[in-house]
Amino acid sequence: MNTEYLTVTGNRETDEEVIRRAADVIRSGGLVAIPTETVYGLAGSAYLEGSAQKIFAAKGRPADNPLIVHIAEPGDAENVAHTNPLYFALAKRFMPGPLTVILKKRDCIPSTVTAGMDTVAIRCPSNPVAHRLIEVSGHPIAAPSANRSGSPSPTSAAHVRADLDGLIDMVIDGGECEIGLESTVIRLDGEDACTVLRPGAVTPDMLAAVCRKVMISPAVVEPQLAGDAPPESPGMKYRHYSPKADIVLIDAPEETFLRYVRETAEGHYGVMIPNEDAGYFNGGTMLLTGPRNDAKEASRRLFSLLRRADEAGLDHVYVRLPLPEGETLALYNRIVRSAGCRILKLGGSGNPYEK
Ligand code: TXA
Ligand code: MG
């Protein structure tokens, strides 16, 4: 298949033409990779079973891992799922934006989309291209991250091309994603509580402004991949975000981490560090996460840095474990999975989650 590449530039007229062509592809059952504020998504009509089948095939995705359904307006959830007051309270505060809510599904959504589950994940993206494409196509859009299953999620059109060129109909290049990590996925528990199944830019503290009680699924912070027990959010059990390079994840105070890497690293290695630490090393490839303590910038860059490690042909990359809380909870969750859940503990960091 010849993949077509189109670019949106912010020019109203030409962007509308790009979106119109992409909407034709969606309506006729094809697949288009689109920018969203989190990561690029591989979009197909959520009403067409054939589109969902193509999505699973193009990604090489296990059939038991359900897709997120994207809608243009929070109220559109009612067309595809059974909503409730808590959903609308959350939507009012966080939609459009990087929050995905699990609701009971309606029959119009084929079971291939939800991997046989009777629930459906709903998200209303804020990215204008994603939003407009859903509007113009007139279909809700099923879209997982636009990477081959297992590799880091794409935050640029170049990442999508590296994974899916020749496997999908079209790619819309909308520049780099603003957030860089996938949306927060939550389950609603009764009238005023929720559980975070996958952490993202909408943090548990932020959710607490709307929900009386916010729980975090153990799968979010436990370093082990879930075993045979069916996890609540099936995606959490798969090895994920993994570059070919071996990620050496170290739980240690910063000084200890830096010294350890400087003294022991050899061969073709990289080290993921804040800008300020770049001068500490003579050898190795610096994978800079941005200014120290800038969790948003580090989140924006993570997947791109993991891909760069492979482009540079690195054998291993040293990464310091972030704290499993607040703004770095999502980073923690992704980094632990990219390291295959192996953590090397050096010195006392006070982190209770080490292995
Ligand atoms: O930011 C995002 O959410 C991006 C952009 C493209 O919107 N999409 C994304 O999709 O990350 P994906 O397919 O890579 O991840 C979806 C996650 C998986 O962990 C999946 O298991 C979970 O959501 N999920 C989907 N439907 C679910 C359901 N009905 N119940 C529980 N978890 C569900
Ligand atoms: Mg994904």
Side-chain angles (χ1 to χ4, degrees):
M1 175 186 292
N2 193 16
T3 303
E4 201 176 351
Y5 291 85
L6 303 177
T7 303
V8 287
T9 57
N11 176 305
R12 262 258 225 111
E13 250 166 60
T14 51
D15 288 0
E16 264 308 293
E17 173 60 15
V18 167
I19 284 164
R20 199 189 54 71
R21 287 171 63 186
D24 284 344
V25 174
I26 297 289
R27 275 192 300 259
S28 58
L31 303 187
V32 184
I34 58 167
T36 84
E37 67 277 22
T38 56
V39 299
Y40 274 72
L42 181 55
S45 167
Y47 285 152
L48 304 176
E49 175 155 39
S51 299
Q53 285 163 348
K54 286 184 192 169
I55 290 174
F56 281 96
K59 281 183 58 87
R61 181 176 177 108
D64 66 351
N65 193 4
L67 308 176
I68 294 175
V69 172
H70 298 68
I71 53 177
E73 306 297 333
D76 296 345
E78 195 51 39
N79 302 331
V80 293
H82 298 277
T83 59
N84 54 51
L86 179 54
Y87 165 78
F88 281 106
L90 287 159
K92 189 162 179 233
R93 178 79 177 74
F94 300 113
M95 293 184 188
L99 179 68
T100 297
V101 181
I102 311 291
L103 295 171
K104 280 266 174 291
K105 91 177 203 35
R106 288 191 190 275
D107 291 343
C108 59
I109 298 298
S111 65
T112 313
V113 170
T114 60
M117 297 176 87
D118 62 357
T119 52
V120 58
I122 300 292
R123 168 158 133 72
C124 179
S126 64
N127 177 288
V129 176
H131 176 263
R132 189 75 186 125
L133 179 62
I134 304 166
E135 241 176 20
V136 173
S137 70
H139 289 226
I141 280 178
S145 48
N147 52 290
R148 287 281 296 172
S149 197
S151 69
S153 294
T155 56
S156 73
H159 297 162
V160 177
R161 184 195 283 262
D163 276 22
L164 298 176
D165 187 50
L167 298 173
I168 62 177
D169 298 283
M170 189 180 277
V171 176
I172 301 182
D173 185 345
E176 299 211 349
C177 299
E178 220 175 284
I179 294 174
L181 298 180
E182 307 87 340
S183 62
T184 303
V185 178
I186 61 170
R187 181 189 71 205
L188 306 184
D189 305 306
E191 283 174 16
D192 59 359
C194 73
T195 302
V196 175
L197 304 180
R198 180 178 72 182
V202 175
T203 63
D205 281 349
M206 290 161 71
L207 291 164
V210 177
C211 297
R212 180 187 51 86
K213 192 166 177 210
V214 179
M215 285 156 291
I216 299 175
S217 165
V220 168
V221 283
E222 271 167 17
Q224 300 87 348
L225 292 175
D228 293 334
E232 288 181 276
S233 192
M236 301 301 281
K237 79 179 175 195
Y238 294 106
R239 189 183 160 92
H240 250 147
Y241 320 116
S242 304
K244 290 177 198 79
D246 194 24
I247 302 297
V248 184
L249 184 54
I250 298 178
D251 179 12
E254 186 169 23
E255 271 305 309
T256 313
F257 168 79
L258 292 173
R259 211 172 333 107
Y260 176 83
V261 176
R262 198 160 69 169
E263 286 166 9
T264 62
E266 50 186 32
H268 224 45
Y269 74 92
V271 52
M272 200 180 284
I273 43 173
N275 298 352
E276 292 85 347
D277 289 342
Y280 196 84
F281 297 94
N282 298 319
T285 299
M286 301 298 115
L287 300 169
L288 300 179
T289 58
R292 189 191 304 290
N293 298 328
D294 187 341
K296 286 198 173 72
E297 186 59 28
S299 301
R300 200 172 293 136
R301 293 188 192 188
L302 176 69
F303 289 145
S304 166
L305 292 176
L306 292 177
R307 282 178 182 261
R308 203 178 315 150
D310 282 349
E311 285 156 21
L314 303 181
D315 298 323
H316 41 278
V317 176
Y318 294 89
V319 182
R320 183 165 167 252
L321 185 67
L323 285 175
E325 60 191 37
E327 274 199 307
T328 55
L329 178 63
L331 262 179
Y332 172 93
N333 172 270
R334 305 310 191 277
I335 288 174
V336 166
R337 276 161 182 75
S338 75
C341 301
R342 290 169 321 227
I343 301 172
L344 173 63
K345 185 169 169 61
L346 302 172
S349 73
N351 183 340
Y353 296 96
E354 79 280 355
K355 253 278 126 122

